[in-house]
Amino acid sequence: MRHGRYPFIMGFLATPVLLYAYFVLWPYVQTINLSFYQWRGFTAKRWVGLENYDRMLHAERFWKALEHHAVILVFLPLLTIAIALVFAFLLNVGGKGSGGKTVGVWGSSFYRVVFFLPQVLAVPVIAVLFATVYRPNESGLINGVMLKLGLAEPVGFLIEKHLALPSLIAVLVWQMVGFYVVLFSAGMANIPAEIYEAAELDGADKLTLFFRVTLPLLWDTVQTAWVYLGILAFDAFAIVSVLAQDNGGPDGATTVLGLEIYNNIQMNRYGDAATYGVALCLLSLLFAGVTLRLTRRESYEY
């Protein structure tokens, strides 16, 4: 019976595996191969070996992009996960039901929909919204409020070098928090209510419930969220390309590797674009592997 089962399973797996190999793995192989050539798209390919990599490593914008990825990598996962955990905790454990039962705050179902709304908006829509929010005059939402209150002069959130990248990180956090609120809420919903009730009977307050009960039992989900957000930090192309000034400006203050790939394609330097793509892929894989290794811990069963 077992010998007949394996061919049956392989028969079902063969088609999706082949499709995955052709549409996902094969483009990676082609990109790695192209990174060793100089090619402008309309000329013959010319083998250059590691010349493209050498040029990339000596490019100032490459190191600027890496620096920006490092900043995003620190603040995007940290802020998104922290805010999402607090909101999810309030929506699931922040209130009291009848008979002292631990429940979410009043209106938690409505708040979940509100928090998730930014996740379903397309990047161009988000860009238009925040272009208005960040507008550097009284017609901008933030500057308009500050000027009405007499708090400050107009601030150029997207045109000042020291503010441009933090402003884009804030947009990414705003966009992503809702998804992770729902993700963490689903994880908390699987934690038996009896565990919270027992902890409260022992005198635990909400802060203790969060750090000593919820966070340890939700650690695997937090670990996964950190990896996903880290990979997003190595992307960030879409929001930078549509919201940043002057193609990664001002003065390269918001450029990322994805934008450098796009710029090289625009200049018909496909070998250089492939080289940046390989670097981006390797950095994402390295981050995911290191993060999973450093955050690995014993799983709790309940």
Side-chain angles (χ1 to χ4, degrees), residues 76-105:
L76 176 60
L78 188 63
L79 292 174
T80 303
I81 290 175
I83 296 171
L85 278 172
V86 171
F87 285 156
F89 183 79
L90 292 174
L91 294 179
N92 289 272
V93 193
K96 283 287 186 182
S98 57
K101 184 178 178 181
T102 300
V103 296
V105 296

Short mmCIF file of all heavy atoms in Angstrom, two decimals, residues 76-105:
data_model
loop_
_atom_site.label_atom_id
_atom_site.label_comp_id
_atom_site.label_asym_id
_atom_site.label_seq_id
_atom_site.Cartn_x
_atom_site.Cartn_y
_atom_site.Cartn_z
N LEU A 76 11.92 49.61 10.93
CA LEU A 76 10.65 49.09 10.41
C LEU A 76 10.14 47.88 11.19
O LEU A 76 9.00 47.89 11.67
CB LEU A 76 10.78 48.77 8.92
CG LEU A 76 9.55 48.14 8.26
CD1 LEU A 76 8.35 49.06 8.37
CD2 LEU A 76 9.82 47.78 6.80
N PRO A 77 10.93 46.80 11.36
CA PRO A 77 10.41 45.67 12.15
C PRO A 77 10.15 46.04 13.60
O PRO A 77 9.13 45.62 14.18
CB PRO A 77 11.53 44.62 12.03
CG PRO A 77 12.33 45.02 10.85
CD PRO A 77 12.26 46.49 10.80
N LEU A 78 11.06 46.82 14.19
CA LEU A 78 10.92 47.16 15.61
C LEU A 78 9.64 47.94 15.87
O LEU A 78 8.84 47.59 16.75
CB LEU A 78 12.14 47.96 16.06
CG LEU A 78 12.25 48.24 17.56
CD1 LEU A 78 12.41 46.94 18.34
CD2 LEU A 78 13.43 49.16 17.84
N LEU A 79 9.41 49.00 15.11
CA LEU A 79 8.23 49.84 15.32
C LEU A 79 6.95 49.11 14.94
O LEU A 79 5.95 49.16 15.67
CB LEU A 79 8.35 51.13 14.51
CG LEU A 79 9.44 52.10 14.95
CD1 LEU A 79 9.55 53.27 13.97
CD2 LEU A 79 9.19 52.61 16.35
N THR A 80 6.97 48.41 13.80
CA THR A 80 5.76 47.73 13.34
C THR A 80 5.33 46.64 14.31
O THR A 80 4.15 46.56 14.69
CB THR A 80 5.99 47.12 11.94
OG1 THR A 80 6.39 48.14 11.04
CG2 THR A 80 4.73 46.45 11.43
N ILE A 81 6.27 45.81 14.74
CA ILE A 81 5.93 44.71 15.64
C ILE A 81 5.51 45.24 17.00
O ILE A 81 4.54 44.75 17.60
CB ILE A 81 7.12 43.74 15.76
CG1 ILE A 81 7.30 42.98 14.44
CG2 ILE A 81 6.92 42.76 16.91
CD1 ILE A 81 8.51 42.09 14.41
N ALA A 82 6.21 46.26 17.52
CA ALA A 82 5.85 46.81 18.83
C ALA A 82 4.44 47.39 18.82
O ALA A 82 3.62 47.10 19.70
CB ALA A 82 6.87 47.88 19.23
N ILE A 83 4.13 48.20 17.81
CA ILE A 83 2.80 48.81 17.73
C ILE A 83 1.74 47.75 17.51
O ILE A 83 0.67 47.76 18.14
CB ILE A 83 2.77 49.87 16.59
CG1 ILE A 83 3.72 51.01 16.91
CG2 ILE A 83 1.36 50.38 16.39
CD1 ILE A 83 3.91 51.98 15.76
N ALA A 84 2.01 46.81 16.60
CA ALA A 84 1.03 45.76 16.31
C ALA A 84 0.77 44.88 17.52
O ALA A 84 -0.38 44.48 17.78
CB ALA A 84 1.50 44.91 15.14
N LEU A 85 1.81 44.56 18.28
CA LEU A 85 1.62 43.74 19.48
C LEU A 85 0.75 44.45 20.51
O LEU A 85 -0.13 43.84 21.12
CB LEU A 85 2.98 43.39 20.09
CG LEU A 85 3.73 42.21 19.48
CD1 LEU A 85 5.14 42.12 20.07
CD2 LEU A 85 2.98 40.90 19.70
N VAL A 86 1.00 45.73 20.70
CA VAL A 86 0.19 46.49 21.68
C VAL A 86 -1.27 46.53 21.24
O VAL A 86 -2.18 46.26 22.04
CB VAL A 86 0.76 47.92 21.83
CG1 VAL A 86 -0.20 48.77 22.67
CG2 VAL A 86 2.13 47.88 22.49
N PHE A 87 -1.50 46.86 19.97
CA PHE A 87 -2.89 46.92 19.49
C PHE A 87 -3.56 45.55 19.55
O PHE A 87 -4.72 45.44 19.96
CB PHE A 87 -2.92 47.45 18.06
CG PHE A 87 -2.69 48.93 17.95
CD1 PHE A 87 -2.20 49.49 16.78
CD2 PHE A 87 -2.97 49.77 19.01
CE1 PHE A 87 -1.99 50.85 16.67
CE2 PHE A 87 -2.76 51.14 18.92
CZ PHE A 87 -2.27 51.68 17.74
N ALA A 88 -2.85 44.51 19.14
CA ALA A 88 -3.43 43.17 19.16
C ALA A 88 -3.74 42.73 20.58
O ALA A 88 -4.77 42.09 20.84
CB ALA A 88 -2.47 42.17 18.49
N PHE A 89 -2.86 43.08 21.51
CA PHE A 89 -3.10 42.73 22.92
C PHE A 89 -4.36 43.42 23.43
O PHE A 89 -5.19 42.81 24.11
CB PHE A 89 -1.88 43.13 23.74
CG PHE A 89 -1.98 42.74 25.20
CD1 PHE A 89 -1.73 41.44 25.60
CD2 PHE A 89 -2.32 43.68 26.16
CE1 PHE A 89 -1.83 41.08 26.94
CE2 PHE A 89 -2.42 43.33 27.49
CZ PHE A 89 -2.17 42.03 27.88
N LEU A 90 -4.51 44.70 23.10
CA LEU A 90 -5.70 45.43 23.54
C LEU A 90 -6.97 44.86 22.90
O LEU A 90 -8.02 44.78 23.55
CB LEU A 90 -5.57 46.91 23.18
CG LEU A 90 -4.50 47.70 23.93
CD1 LEU A 90 -4.38 49.11 23.38
CD2 LEU A 90 -4.80 47.73 25.43
N LEU A 91 -6.88 44.45 21.64
CA LEU A 91 -8.05 43.94 20.94
C LEU A 91 -8.45 42.54 21.39
O LEU A 91 -9.56 42.10 21.12
CB LEU A 91 -7.79 43.91 19.43
CG LEU A 91 -7.60 45.27 18.75
CD1 LEU A 91 -7.35 45.09 17.27
CD2 LEU A 91 -8.81 46.17 18.98
N ASN A 92 -7.53 41.84 22.07
CA ASN A 92 -7.83 40.47 22.48
C ASN A 92 -7.86 40.27 23.99
O ASN A 92 -8.61 39.42 24.47
CB ASN A 92 -6.79 39.51 21.88
CG ASN A 92 -6.93 39.34 20.39
OD1 ASN A 92 -7.66 38.49 19.91
ND2 ASN A 92 -6.23 40.17 19.63
N VAL A 93 -7.05 41.02 24.71
CA VAL A 93 -6.92 40.77 26.14
C VAL A 93 -7.11 42.05 26.96
O VAL A 93 -7.03 42.03 28.17
CB VAL A 93 -5.53 40.15 26.46
CG1 VAL A 93 -5.47 39.58 27.85
CG2 VAL A 93 -5.19 39.06 25.45
N GLY A 94 -7.36 43.17 26.29
CA GLY A 94 -7.34 44.45 26.99
C GLY A 94 -8.58 44.78 27.80
O GLY A 94 -8.59 45.76 28.54
N GLY A 95 -9.64 43.99 27.68
CA GLY A 95 -10.86 44.33 28.39
C GLY A 95 -11.34 43.23 29.33
O GLY A 95 -10.67 42.22 29.53
N LYS A 96 -12.51 43.47 29.90
CA LYS A 96 -13.12 42.51 30.82
C LYS A 96 -14.55 42.26 30.37
O LYS A 96 -15.31 43.19 30.11
CB LYS A 96 -13.13 43.04 32.25
CG LYS A 96 -11.78 42.95 32.96
CD LYS A 96 -11.48 41.53 33.34
CE LYS A 96 -10.20 41.45 34.17
NZ LYS A 96 -9.86 40.06 34.50
N GLY A 97 -14.90 40.98 30.29
CA GLY A 97 -16.25 40.62 29.91
C GLY A 97 -17.09 40.31 31.13
O GLY A 97 -16.71 40.57 32.27
N SER A 98 -18.24 39.75 30.89
CA SER A 98 -19.13 39.38 31.99
C SER A 98 -18.48 38.29 32.83
O SER A 98 -17.86 37.36 32.31
CB SER A 98 -20.47 38.90 31.43
OG SER A 98 -20.27 37.82 30.55
N GLY A 99 -18.63 38.42 34.12
CA GLY A 99 -18.05 37.44 35.02
C GLY A 99 -16.54 37.55 35.14
O GLY A 99 -15.88 36.60 35.56
N GLY A 100 -15.99 38.69 34.73
CA GLY A 100 -14.55 38.88 34.84
C GLY A 100 -13.75 38.17 33.77
O GLY A 100 -12.52 38.05 33.88
N LYS A 101 -14.39 37.70 32.71
CA LYS A 101 -13.70 36.97 31.66
C LYS A 101 -12.82 37.93 30.84
O LYS A 101 -13.22 39.04 30.55
CB LYS A 101 -14.72 36.30 30.74
CG LYS A 101 -14.11 35.43 29.66
CD LYS A 101 -15.18 34.77 28.82
CE LYS A 101 -14.55 33.92 27.71
NZ LYS A 101 -15.60 33.28 26.86
N THR A 102 -11.62 37.47 30.49
CA THR A 102 -10.69 38.28 29.71
C THR A 102 -11.11 38.34 28.25
O THR A 102 -11.20 37.31 27.58
CB THR A 102 -9.26 37.71 29.81
OG1 THR A 102 -8.85 37.70 31.18
CG2 THR A 102 -8.29 38.55 29.00
N VAL A 103 -11.38 39.54 27.77
CA VAL A 103 -11.79 39.75 26.37
C VAL A 103 -11.08 40.99 25.85
O VAL A 103 -10.35 41.67 26.57
CB VAL A 103 -13.33 39.93 26.25
CG1 VAL A 103 -14.05 38.65 26.66
CG2 VAL A 103 -13.80 41.12 27.08
N GLY A 104 -11.31 41.29 24.57
CA GLY A 104 -10.73 42.50 23.99
C GLY A 104 -11.51 43.74 24.39
O GLY A 104 -12.59 43.66 24.99
N VAL A 105 -10.97 44.90 24.05
CA VAL A 105 -11.65 46.14 24.36
C VAL A 105 -12.94 46.24 23.55
O VAL A 105 -13.13 45.55 22.55
CB VAL A 105 -10.74 47.36 24.05
CG1 VAL A 105 -9.51 47.35 24.94
CG2 VAL A 105 -10.33 47.38 22.58
#
